[in-house]
Amino acid sequence: MVKVAIMGAGLSGLACAITLERNGINPTIYEKRRQVGDRFVNCEILMSVLTKPIHDSIAYFSEKHGIYLQPTGNIRQLVIHSENRQAHIRGHLGFTNTRGRHDNSFERQLAKQVKSKIIFNSKHSYEHLLQDFTHVVMATGDAAYAARVQDFREDLTVTLRGAIVSGNFDRYTVRAWLNNKFAPKGYGYLIPISDKEANIVIAYPDYPENQALDTHALWERFYRNVCEICDQKLRITDNFEVSKYIIGICKYPRIGNTFFTGNNFGSIMPFLGFGQFASLYTGIQAAKDICGMGNYEECIKPIKESYQLSIALRKSMEKLDNSGFDFIVERLNGSLGNRIFNSNRNILKMAGYLLKPLTNKEQKNE
Ligand SMILES: Cc1cc2nc3c(=O)[nH]c(=O)nc-3n(C[C@H](O)[C@H](O)[C@H](O)COP(=O)(O)OP(=O)(O)OC[C@H]3O[C@@H](n4cnc5c(N)ncnc54)[C@H](O)[C@@H]3O)c2cc1C
């Protein structure tokens, strides 16, 4: 008899559980924390341009997979800031959502759709679960676990420093920053939670040259820039820091009857750190394979391909200085940006093509 253990009650683990239940298997879910989403609150996004040809991921998960998610809002405008330029991109660009302890966080919404038992404060190891179950789904959101168990290629680690701020926001506008002065080789962003609250974050890789930087000074510069752009003094009500957040990918998405899903598989796209879509998707596909309704390794090939494109794009972007970012942002403003973000093409492939002249120039100069 099939007996499934899921390690981790986050996005991929819970999406896996819902899909298994719908097909007649009740897994046991092991969660190390006291409850679902028992961590800091932050705001994340699902960007349509990264999931093409799927344009509306919320509709896709409900119609194709019976997984119902309520975003906090839809994104109608993306403003990208470089040091001296801004690009305003409009359209139906994606969704914002909350995570962690927030009442309506994605993981808490998923938990309400799960009937199976969740064992909290779990200290069960993977090796332990292997003894008691026919199948184990690794969904711990922490690639360090995957790296211990199998051949995991770590490409980089990232520091994310963020705060919840109160002020006045347009809840349909997300902002992103490409500016090496406060996010060297990384990015910053502002995602509204409501008209009165937003999440601001800087994320940058832990390369040796970045480790020598004063993170406090980077954050202060970013915070001041956000206040200036938003034309108001934002009040910080909460903050968080994630260090050494691993970005990498497994060689084997499945070993025997162990399935690696979400961040354990390699769901975070190295370019801008998006991982929610792939986490939900890999959880669902692992469940389908266990139920004899698909081949996990085959189904997640597009995610592997996106990962490779995304790492190539990151490497290209890392070569750019602030004038390179100004050049790109200026071109993205107006019809080109709108066309790219609203087209049905894969942005990762397109961006690689657009960046080629710039990165070739840099390489020649090196
Ligand atoms: C600050 C930040 C901002 C982000 N922004 C975005 C964004 O805007 N868009 C986007 O698409 N992605 C974003 N991501 C990435 C996205 O959040 C992840 O890719 C996604 O949540 C991973 O899902 P998961 O199922 O692998 O893990 P999670 O959803 O993190 O769930 C893992 C669960 O496993 C539990 N666990 C851990 N260890 C154990 C253990 N040993 N035993 C049992 N349980 C365990 C954890 O407590 C947790 O509940 C962001 C990530 C961070 C950190």
Side-chain angles (χ1 to χ4, degrees):
M1 199 185 79
V2 174
K3 216 175 143 205
V4 185
I6 298 176
M7 202 170 167
L11 297 194
S12 62
L14 295 171
C16 181
I18 296 167
T19 312
L20 286 169
E21 286 174 7
R22 200 148 287 143
N23 293 289
I25 296 173
N26 287 326
T28 309
I29 306 163
Y30 293 87
E31 168 55 51
K32 82 165 178 193
R33 294 192 167 110
R34 286 176 306 164
Q35 48 178 302
V36 170
D38 193 16
R39 66 149 172 87
F40 64 86
V41 172
N42 70 314
C43 207
E44 302 192 0
I45 58 178
L46 288 161
M47 282 295 279
S48 308
V49 76
L50 294 171
T51 56
K52 296 289 169 77
I54 296 160
H55 177 65
D56 185 323
S57 38
I58 298 291
Y60 167 78
F61 284 120
S62 64
E63 279 169 25
K64 295 276 179 207
H65 302 290
I67 288 182
Y68 303 99
L69 291 164
Q70 223 28 285
T72 37
N74 62 308
I75 307 170
R76 283 167 48 187
Q77 181 175 225
L78 169 68
V79 185
I80 309 177
H81 302 266
S82 59
E83 190 176 5
N84 302 299
R85 296 283 181 272
Q86 291 188 7
H88 292 252
I89 293 150
R90 295 184 180 86
H92 170 24
L93 303 175
F95 298 95
T96 55
N97 65 278
T98 54
R99 299 293 310 271
R101 260 173 234 126
H102 194 270
D103 285 346
N104 213 28
S105 69
F106 264 8
E107 49 271 60
R108 292 201 168 168
Q109 292 184 38
L110 290 170
K112 287 185 191 142
Q113 296 166 55
V114 170
K115 294 180 209 76
S116 306
K117 192 170 174 190
I118 305 182
I119 297 171
F120 291 106
N121 300 310
S122 166
K123 295 203 173 12
H124 288 74
S125 67
Y126 163 65
E127 292 74 13
H128 183 182
L129 298 179
L130 265 186
Q131 287 170 16
D132 292 347
F133 292 87
T134 60
H135 296 74
V136 178
V137 177
M138 298 289 283
T140 58
D142 178 3
Y145 221 108
R148 231 185 65 205
V149 175
Q150 69 145 301
D151 200 348
F152 182 89
R153 190 186 86 207
E154 180 181 305
D155 283 311
L156 68 151
T157 68
V158 175
T159 292
L160 296 119
R161 189 164 176 179
I164 303 294
V165 289
S166 62
N168 293 308
F169 306 99
D170 170 7
R171 62 187 305 154
Y172 302 107
T173 296
V174 165
R175 294 179 186 273
W177 280 260
L178 294 170
N179 188 329
N180 287 315
K181 287 192 174 154
F182 44 72
K185 297 187 176 14
Y187 51 88
Y189 60 81
L190 177 151
I191 305 177
I193 301 175
S194 67
D195 296 334
K196 298 283 170 206
E197 229 181 6
N199 183 199
I200 60 171
V201 174
I202 46 171
Y204 50 89
D206 301 316
Y207 296 150
E209 64 272 26
N210 280 357
Q211 279 170 12
L213 296 170
D214 177 351
T215 56
H216 183 71
L218 295 177
W219 172 261
E220 278 303 311
R221 243 174 261 150
F222 173 60
Y223 170 71
R224 276 203 304 274
N225 193 284
V226 178
C227 290
E228 206 176 293
I229 298 273
C230 296
D231 197 20
Q232 53 194 304
K233 173 107 177 87
L234 301 171
R235 192 167 63 85
I236 295 181
T237 56
D238 195 8
N239 49 41
F240 61 84
E241 184 162 336
V242 180
S243 53
K244 301 221 179 308
Y245 192 59
I246 300 172
I247 299 184
I249 192 157
C250 277
K251 185 158 185 191
Y252 308 106
R254 172 182 183 170
I255 296 183
N257 283 341
T258 298
F259 293 76
F260 296 84
T261 63
N263 288 3
N264 264 278
F265 158 65
S267 293
I268 313 167
M269 294 300 136
F271 174 44
L272 288 175
F274 291 94
Q276 295 195 108
F277 180 89
S279 294
L280 293 160
Y281 183 81
T282 51
I284 293 166
Q285 297 304 339
K288 289 202 161 166
D289 192 325
I290 294 169
C291 298
M293 295 162 61
N295 178 314
Y296 185 54
E297 280 142 310
E298 280 301 315
C299 290
I300 62 168
K301 272 187 179 158
I303 308 268
K304 262 192 155 168
E305 195 198 350
S306 292
Y307 183 93
Q308 299 303 349
L309 290 168
S310 184
I311 191 81
L313 185 55
R314 165 171 272 283
K315 295 288 168 206
S316 303
M317 292 291 282
E318 283 179 358
K319 296 197 172 82
L320 299 181
D321 57 14
N322 274 4
S323 63
F325 286 140
D326 280 344
F327 177 87
I328 288 178
V329 171
E330 188 172 2
R331 264 140 204 85
L332 282 177
N333 195 25
S335 64
L336 178 64
N338 287 334
R339 275 211 310 278
I340 291 176
F341 279 79
N342 289 294
S343 94
N344 262 335
R345 299 243 183 88
N346 184 321
I347 192 175
L348 294 172
K349 279 188 187 155
M350 275 196 289
Y353 175 75
L354 285 171
L355 277 169
K356 228 176 194 158
L358 268 178
T359 48
N360 282 351
K361 194 176 86 191
E362 299 263 336
Q363 268 160 3
K364 274 184 203 147
N365 292 342
E366 272 169 12

